[in-house]
Amino acid sequence: GSFVNLNQQDDASEQQGQVEDDDSRTLPLVLKSLHSTELSPPLRKVIAKLLPFLTYGQVSQSRELASYFMKYVDVMSLGGVEVASNEQQQGAVSGGGNDSILMNTFVETAINLPPVSVCDNLRRELIRNGFVDKVRSFLLEGVPAKPPSWSPALYPKKPVASNKRSASGRGKKEEEQNKEEWRAYFDRPGMSQAFRILTGLCSKHAETQLLLSDVAGDGEAEETNRQPVGEELDLLTLCHWMEVTSDNTASDIKNPNGILAETLLDALKEDNDATSAKIKALRGKTRDRKRELAEERRNRALVGMSAFGALAGAAVGTGG
């Protein structure tokens, strides 16, 4: 009986080894097939969503797949991915070589990466090889140092200027410069894809959430909101500035990614106390400033009404 059991155990372990060998061979074969230009766009979309599962959660497989992201996803060309996806939605055939097709596939994988444990090692490897930082750096490139001038709630209360005339002239010039800087930033190609990629990668993954939120592993949330002059803007502040900024119709400036910035912030705080505290503090300061501004407007209106009432009363008295 024991001899039969031993044979059965050998057979089981041999089958297990065979399954693991098959598992480790599947991903390279599928990755190789991606180099074929004969795959239709719908099939590529299916493969893009399937790729993370073909790692079977193994570190070596996840590392190999992560290396493809670094090799083929050129963040400076993300605008081309936007154009290609729009063309595909409209039924047009997108141009570009095989590398751009591969890039589109891996962008699609990142955007749709499901928040399940089998994808955890892939997310870790994308942190380890610098891909997450690369996308973040792309978003932070060229961000103006000050918030959009038409979002007053992002600015602290102004001190009373001693020389109002020169201050207003200088302020006007700075405001125009600020508008042009934000116009140039909002018009950068590839922004929507970058926001979607980071949202997909950080979804319910504490390590990525902490990294992108600049929160230390001990969960300490730093004081943030008013960016000190000369310091590099952080991703949370950028996203918050964008989520509360509407289009400036008077200057024809559009903020097309405000909702995507808000979605990224919501994904960064999901099921994470440390990042939630930091994002809540950021949004709370702006909410308080909005209340202050509303109160100031009310007070000005009341002063105006009382002044009008006094004038009207004086006019009636004179007439009598």
Side-chain angles (χ1 to χ4, degrees):
S2 60
F3 180 71
V4 172
N5 287 342
L6 197 61
N7 271 348
Q8 285 174 342
Q9 283 171 6
D10 285 347
D11 287 347
S13 61
E14 201 174 302
Q15 286 172 356
Q16 179 66 30
Q18 185 65 43
V19 168
E20 285 176 6
D21 283 349
D22 288 346
D23 288 353
S24 62
R25 276 200 294 265
T26 309
L27 181 64
L29 284 171
V30 174
L31 289 172
K32 196 176 177 183
S33 77
L34 286 173
H35 288 276
S36 165
T37 51
E38 293 167 15
L39 292 174
S40 65
L43 183 55
R44 280 184 179 281
K45 275 191 177 257
V46 171
I47 291 173
K49 291 178 183 178
L50 187 65
L51 280 175
F53 295 98
L54 298 180
T55 65
Y56 298 95
Q58 294 171 18
V59 174
S60 59
Q61 303 280 75
S62 300
R63 188 163 295 169
E64 184 179 358
L65 180 54
S67 71
Y68 271 71
F69 282 79
M70 284 300 280
K71 185 176 180 181
Y72 289 106
V73 179
D74 173 14
V75 291
M76 301 313 290
S77 303
L78 282 172
V81 177
E82 285 177 357
V83 172
S85 64
N86 290 339
E87 283 177 352
Q88 280 181 21
Q89 283 167 16
Q90 291 159 17
V93 179
S94 61
N98 200 33
D99 279 6
S100 74
I101 293 170
L102 284 164
M103 174 166 161
N104 292 1
T105 305
F106 293 113
V107 166
E108 193 80 28
T109 299
I111 289 171
N112 296 292
L113 197 60
V116 291
S117 58
V118 76
C119 299
D120 282 352
N121 275 327
L122 175 58
R123 284 185 163 95
R124 285 191 196 100
E125 289 302 322
L126 289 170
I127 291 174
R128 196 188 68 81
N129 72 4
F131 181 76
V132 176
D133 261 330
K134 193 164 80 162
V135 180
R136 169 169 56 180
S137 296
F138 169 78
L139 278 176
L140 292 173
E141 191 176 318
V143 182
K146 291 182 179 178
S149 54
W150 62 98
S151 292
L154 293 171
Y155 282 85
K157 199 167 186 174
K158 286 180 184 174
V160 178
S162 54
N163 188 340
K164 286 189 176 179
R165 183 172 291 181
S166 65
S168 75
R170 192 169 61 247
K172 199 80 178 162
K173 192 177 177 183
E174 284 177 6
E175 191 179 320
E176 285 307 311
Q177 186 182 339
N178 175 278
K179 282 179 185 175
E180 291 314 308
E181 285 175 358
W182 279 105
R183 185 198 304 279
Y185 180 75
F186 286 150
D187 287 348
R188 282 182 67 205
M191 297 266 289
S192 69
Q193 296 298 328
F195 275 116
R196 287 188 174 104
I197 287 170
L198 290 185
T199 302
L201 295 181
C202 78
S203 183
K204 294 188 179 180
H205 189 247
E207 215 174 319
T208 311
Q209 291 169 330
L210 292 170
L211 173 75
L212 292 174
S213 304
D214 294 306
V215 175
D218 56 11
E220 279 193 22
E222 305 153 30
E223 269 291 302
T224 184
N225 199 23
R226 312 287 172 240
Q227 195 63 20
V229 179
E231 284 192 22
E232 193 180 320
L233 199 74
D234 63 75
L235 184 66
L236 293 193
T237 305
L238 166 65
C239 289
H240 179 58
W241 285 1
M242 288 180 69
E243 74 172 340
V244 299
T245 299
S246 53
D247 292 349
N248 186 330
T249 46
S251 299
D252 195 27
I253 301 172
K254 290 183 171 59
N255 172 18
N257 296 307
I259 289 176
L260 289 178
E262 181 184 359
T263 304
L264 176 53
L265 278 185
D266 290 339
L268 284 167
K269 72 185 184 70
E270 193 175 8
D271 299 338
N272 191 319
D273 292 341
T275 57
S276 285
K278 194 170 180 181
I279 292 165
K280 188 179 178 183
L282 199 62
R283 287 171 164 171
K285 281 186 180 180
T286 304
R287 193 167 52 247
D288 292 345
R289 182 71 186 117
K290 277 183 178 175
R291 286 201 195 102
E292 272 181 25
L293 288 166
E295 189 67 33
E296 284 170 20
R297 278 195 299 272
R298 262 197 305 274
N299 290 340
R300 278 199 300 273
L302 287 170
V303 167
M305 284 166 67
S306 59
F308 176 76
L311 282 169
V316 169
T318 308

